[in-house]
Amino acid sequence: MDQREKIKTAYMDYVLTNNERPKSVYAFTKSLKLKEEDFYKYFNSFDAIESGFWKDLFNETALKVKSQEVYPDYSARERILSYFFTLIEEMKSTRSFITYSIKHAGKGFSTPRVLEKAKLSFEEFISEVLHDGIEKSEIIERKFISDKYKNALWLQLAFIINFWINDDSENFEKTDEAIEKGINVTLDLMSRGPIDNLLEYGKFL
């Protein structure tokens, strides 16, 4: 285990054992028998550790999904569903820390700071999928709206993570159901529908 990983793992263990952050970087590094400067080689704060954890999680999820042999043949809908299901599966091994992190991230309409880098990773993956979906006519391009598709999916993901944290069903079956129903409804709204056909007809007339 490299030093960066050692610091991250020790931090996660500390907050889960004590249900709070260490009092200071100094006290934390001292308990690890490290110099304070060793901490700052990798992180500039405890927030940075959590931010890095989430970013790594989202990056690894995207890589895992893209590495699937069937990925090139997937539709945009299947790629997004695969991402959501894979992320939840990856989250299971660190569920306690994720629950802690989300519950201490603060509530509000803006994205918590510890999730900002993870959001950029998510948007990079989703934007690529949406662009490909539009090119293949699986997703319809709408003026002023298409650019907001990724935001709608981010809100969907935030809902799913919170749903999963509170899910007490066996093997998180309700979360799987929420993903499938939620993504299908969202993608249906992004696909051509009766309103689009009506607008096309109106233009023709």
Side-chain angles (χ1 to χ4, degrees):
M1 184 185 296
D2 63 30
Q3 203 164 64
R4 181 184 185 276
E5 196 63 25
K6 179 183 177 182
I7 293 170
K8 185 176 84 171
T9 302
Y11 172 78
M12 292 168 66
D13 181 64
Y14 184 96
V15 298
L16 293 177
T17 302
N18 299 280
N19 198 35
E20 64 178 6
R21 288 181 170 183
K23 300 300 182 186
S24 67
V25 172
Y26 174 79
F28 176 63
T29 52
K30 186 177 180 181
S31 70
L32 295 179
K33 296 181 180 177
L34 294 174
K35 294 178 181 178
E36 190 172 0
E37 64 194 59
D38 292 331
F39 179 93
Y40 292 116
K41 286 179 185 176
Y42 306 99
F43 307 103
N44 58 22
S45 65
F46 294 134
D47 267 353
I49 297 179
E50 290 194 35
S51 177
F53 164 83
W54 282 103
K55 181 185 176 184
D56 290 347
L57 177 64
F58 278 51
N59 283 343
E60 287 161 15
T61 297
L63 287 171
K64 200 161 191 174
V65 171
K66 288 182 176 182
S67 68
Q68 295 172 6
E69 194 174 333
V70 292
Y71 182 79
D73 300 321
Y74 272 171
S75 64
R77 184 183 300 256
E78 289 169 326
R79 289 178 181 184
I80 293 170
L81 278 168
S82 179
Y83 182 95
F84 273 64
F85 282 126
T86 302
L87 180 64
I88 292 298
E89 196 59 37
E90 292 292 302
M91 284 165 58
K92 288 178 182 178
S93 64
T94 49
R95 178 175 166 82
S96 295
F97 181 73
I98 285 170
T99 300
Y100 169 88
S101 182
I102 290 295
K103 288 186 175 179
H104 289 79
K107 294 182 179 180
F109 292 106
S110 60
T111 299
R113 188 163 60 173
V114 294
L115 290 177
E116 286 176 353
K117 290 183 179 179
K119 184 182 179 185
L120 292 175
S121 172
F122 174 81
E123 288 180 342
E124 183 180 344
F125 174 84
I126 289 298
S127 294
E128 186 180 304
V129 173
L130 292 174
H131 177 74
D132 193 52
I134 288 171
E135 282 198 336
K136 294 178 179 176
S137 300
E138 297 169 359
I139 294 171
I140 188 165
E141 189 168 15
R142 296 185 177 100
K143 197 173 183 180
F144 306 123
I145 298 176
S146 302
D147 290 342
K148 305 297 181 185
Y149 285 166
K150 65 180 184 294
N151 297 336
L153 287 164
W154 173 252
L155 289 175
Q156 186 96 50
L157 183 62
F159 167 78
I160 290 296
I161 291 173
N162 278 288
F163 186 94
W164 175 75
I165 285 172
N166 296 292
D167 186 3
D168 59 0
S169 64
E170 187 175 345
N171 203 27
F172 307 108
E173 291 172 356
K174 287 182 181 177
T175 298
D176 289 345
E177 189 177 351
I179 290 172
E180 191 163 358
K181 288 183 177 179
I183 295 302
N184 280 326
V185 167
T186 302
L187 267 293
D188 283 346
L189 293 172
M190 294 179 186
S191 305
R192 180 174 292 278
I195 292 176
D196 298 293
N197 293 333
L198 184 61
L199 289 173
E200 289 291 326
Y201 183 58
K203 288 178 183 177
F204 170 75
L205 294 176

